[in-house]
């Protein structure tokens, strides 16, 4: 439940997703997150550091820890599911309710 609470917070999944390919500084990460406010980014990064999913790197950026990389690997499965679901929705017309009786 603690993981679901953390991942359910706005921007948390996006931050993890943006760090999946490597370290980013604060400003580049903020830009990749569509201009998220600096206070919210700081708060989320603090939470992610406290849960050991993200850490500071030597270059003053942020990167995933091995635990964070594991979480991102699980998120890739959700990403694949979402892509498959999107493709299915594109192929199949939505159900239409029948006439009222």
């Amino acid at each position: 439940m603690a993981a679901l609470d953390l991942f359910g917070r706005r921007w948390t999944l996006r931050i993890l997703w943006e760090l999946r390919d490597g370290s980013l500084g604060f400003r580049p990460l903020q830009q990749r997150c569509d201009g998220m406010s600096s206070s919210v980014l700081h708060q989320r990064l603090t939470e992610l550091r406290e849960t050991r999913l993200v850490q500071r790197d030597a270059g003053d950026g942020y990167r995933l820890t091995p635990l964070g990389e594991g979480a991102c690997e699980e998120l890739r499965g959700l990403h694949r599911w979402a892509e498959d679901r999107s493709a299915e929705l594109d192929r199949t017309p939505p159900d239409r309710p029948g006439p009222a009786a």
Side-chain angles (χ1 to χ4, degrees), residues 11-84:
W11 296 107
T12 298
L13 291 175
R14 178 70 181 268
I15 293 166
L16 293 174
W17 189 252
E18 294 300 340
L19 292 174
R20 74 192 182 281
D21 293 327
S23 179
L24 287 170
F26 188 90
R27 295 281 181 227
L29 180 56
Q30 185 180 23
Q31 290 171 349
R32 286 194 184 188
C33 291
D34 301 323
M36 172 194 341
S37 75
S38 59
S39 61
V40 172
L41 179 56
H42 178 72
Q43 182 178 4
R44 292 298 173 265
L45 286 169
T46 298
E47 293 165 354
L48 290 167
R49 289 175 66 200
E50 288 172 351
T51 56
R52 299 185 181 149
L53 296 173
V54 170
Q55 66 186 25
R56 298 291 297 261
D57 67 14
D60 206 31
Y62 295 89
R63 68 181 180 88
L64 296 175
T65 64
L67 190 60
E69 290 172 357
C72 271
E73 194 56 41
E74 296 302 321
L75 291 174
R76 289 179 202 275
L78 183 58
H79 178 72
R80 282 189 297 275
W81 176 85
E83 286 180 330
D84 292 346

